[in-house]
Amino acid sequence: MAAGHRRVDIEEVSDVTVAKFIDKKILDEGNIQIIGTQLFGLVDEDGRKKIILDFSNVEYLSSAALGKLITLDKKVKKAKGKLKLCSIRPDIYEVFAITRLNQLFDITETQEAALEGF
Amino acid sequence: MSLNISKYYLENSRNRVLAKFMSSDEYFEVKIPSDTAEGQAIQARIVEVLEVREYPVRDVFAVRLALEEALVNAIKHGNGMSLDKDVDIKYWISDERVRIEIQDQGEGFDRTHVPDPTLLENLERPCGRGIMLMGAFMNLIEYNEQGNKVTLEKIKGVAPEQPEAEVQGDEEEE
């Protein structure tokens, strides 16, 4: 795995940034670091304030990945922006529900619904 | 079958392996260095056996998630990624259940001192969530007294006992 390899596809839909995970499994420490760097860069470097994270491809997610999402949420809130999560399959949603992170994050079923909400 | 498995472990010559077969059950002991890539290889191996034994997708998801959390805990928090420390893994797989023991060479920890990650004040802290997920997805999670060995068990097709209301109840309030 090449360092710095993109793990997230970025797309602009009007003033909203849609970041779609490429990997099926967000487990491996190295991947999680790269994903974290890429996502944090959206806020810290690019100054983006409206971000949607699209989980359509994600089949596995570990608690280390949750940690990165929490930090991202914190950064976005600090920048007075808004973060939404969408297209999370039921198994993965359960991971959010068990850890009560479904109450921290704004989660919608589809990307369209997330876009409408901004 | 045994040939394939021998080949798998020969390829991982750094691992000291003892393989035994009890009728149709599979039992393994394997020692891996504190390297998450080695952990991933074991994970893949166990998942493969579960799939061959036709464990439901949900069980495979649960075991993979719990293994990931337990191995990362052992390698990172237990052994502090120190390459001269090993992680001992034992697993038993039958058609009814899978049992996994993971032991690191760290000092261990007191589970009662792990903060509740679901409390508002702890939501942004990175710790405790892995243990919580293991508990929620597996039928058994048990630590030894020292806290450097975890035992996990998943019974095929049997959902763990959960406070279902909390898991299912998708309350919308802040």
Side-chain angles (χ1 to χ4, degrees), chain A residues 25-30 32-33 59-67 70-71 73-74 77 89-104 106-107, chain B residues 36-37 40 43 47 51 57-58 60-62 64-65 68-69 72 76 81 117-118 123-126 129-130 132-133 136-137 162 166-174:
Chain A
K25 300 175 207 159
I26 312 182
L27 294 173
D28 175 67
E29 191 76 12
I32 291 171
Q33 287 301 337
E59 292 174 6
Y60 285 97
L61 184 85
S62 71
S63 68
L66 294 177
I70 293 165
T71 307
D73 186 63
K74 214 169 150 182
K77 278 179 181 150
R89 62 190 68 205
D91 280 344
I92 302 285
Y93 185 80
E94 208 178 325
V95 169
F96 282 91
I98 289 163
T99 53
R100 305 262 178 103
L101 291 173
N102 57 337
Q103 293 174 30
L104 177 77
D106 186 348
I107 301 176
Chain B
T36 49
Q40 295 278 332
Q43 218 181 90
V47 163
E51 281 169 351
V57 177
R58 173 146 184 89
V60 177
F61 178 87
R64 179 173 243 154
L65 184 73
E68 171 68 23
E69 301 294 345
V72 166
K76 269 182 84 175
M81 301 288 276
T118 63
L123 266 189
E124 290 179 2
R125 294 176 66 166
R129 225 162 269 127
M132 189 174 195
L133 288 174
F137 281 98
Q162 296 294 332
E166 282 184 17
V167 174
Q168 301 293 333
D170 179 17
E171 312 101 313
E172 287 297 321
E173 91 265 18
E174 288 296 316

Side-chain angles (χ1 to χ4, degrees), chain B residues 75-120:
Chain B
I75 292 168
K76 269 182 84 175
H77 305 302
N79 289 350
M81 301 288 276
S82 166
L83 285 176
D84 53 2
K85 286 182 179 167
D86 295 320
V87 177
D88 280 305
I89 302 158
K90 292 178 188 172
Y91 60 88
W92 295 258
I93 305 174
S94 72
D95 284 337
E96 288 81 40
R97 67 179 64 210
V98 48
R99 182 184 174 91
I100 303 154
E101 288 179 13
I102 296 173
Q103 181 159 18
D104 59 59
Q105 294 183 294
E107 290 172 5
F109 72 106
D110 183 350
R111 198 179 162 185
T112 59
H113 288 169
V114 176
D116 179 352
T118 63
L119 295 178
L120 200 60

Side-chain angles (χ1 to χ4, degrees), chain B residues 47-67:
Chain B
V47 163
E48 197 186 309
V49 177
L50 295 182
E51 281 169 351
V52 168
R53 287 178 179 254
E54 296 177 345
Y55 273 67
V57 177
R58 173 146 184 89
D59 285 351
V60 177
F61 178 87
V63 172
R64 179 173 243 154
L65 184 73
L67 263 174

Side-chain angles (χ1 to χ4, degrees), chain A:
Chain A
M1 182 184 58
H5 194 266
R6 285 167 66 94
R7 315 294 339 164
V8 183
D9 266 338
I10 308 293
E11 191 195 346
E12 297 290 333
V13 182
S14 63
D15 63 340
V16 181
T17 302
V18 180
K20 190 171 185 177
F21 294 105
I22 298 166
D23 299 290
K24 279 186 178 177
K25 300 175 207 159
I26 312 182
L27 294 173
D28 175 67
E29 191 76 12
N31 268 2
I32 291 171
Q33 287 301 337
I34 295 167
I35 287 170
T37 309
Q38 214 187 328
L39 292 180
F40 298 166
L42 294 176
V43 187
D44 295 339
E45 288 154 35
D46 307 345
R48 304 191 208 211
K49 291 201 161 113
K50 295 179 183 174
I51 300 173
I52 295 173
L53 294 184
D54 187 317
F55 284 76
S56 318
N57 294 327
V58 181
E59 292 174 6
Y60 285 97
L61 184 85
S62 71
S63 68
L66 294 177
K68 291 287 178 205
L69 297 182
I70 293 165
T71 307
L72 177 69
D73 186 63
K74 214 169 150 182
K75 283 178 186 288
V76 172
K77 278 179 181 150
K78 205 173 164 194
K80 303 218 172 349
K82 222 171 170 186
L83 175 70
K84 286 169 184 264
L85 276 50
C86 72
S87 312
I88 301 177
R89 62 190 68 205
D91 280 344
I92 302 285
Y93 185 80
E94 208 178 325
V95 169
F96 282 91
I98 289 163
T99 53
R100 305 262 178 103
L101 291 173
N102 57 337
Q103 293 174 30
L104 177 77
F105 294 114
D106 186 348
I107 301 176
T108 59
E109 265 188 43
T110 61
Q111 197 188 108
E112 290 72 30
L115 281 166
E116 279 169 20
F118 275 113

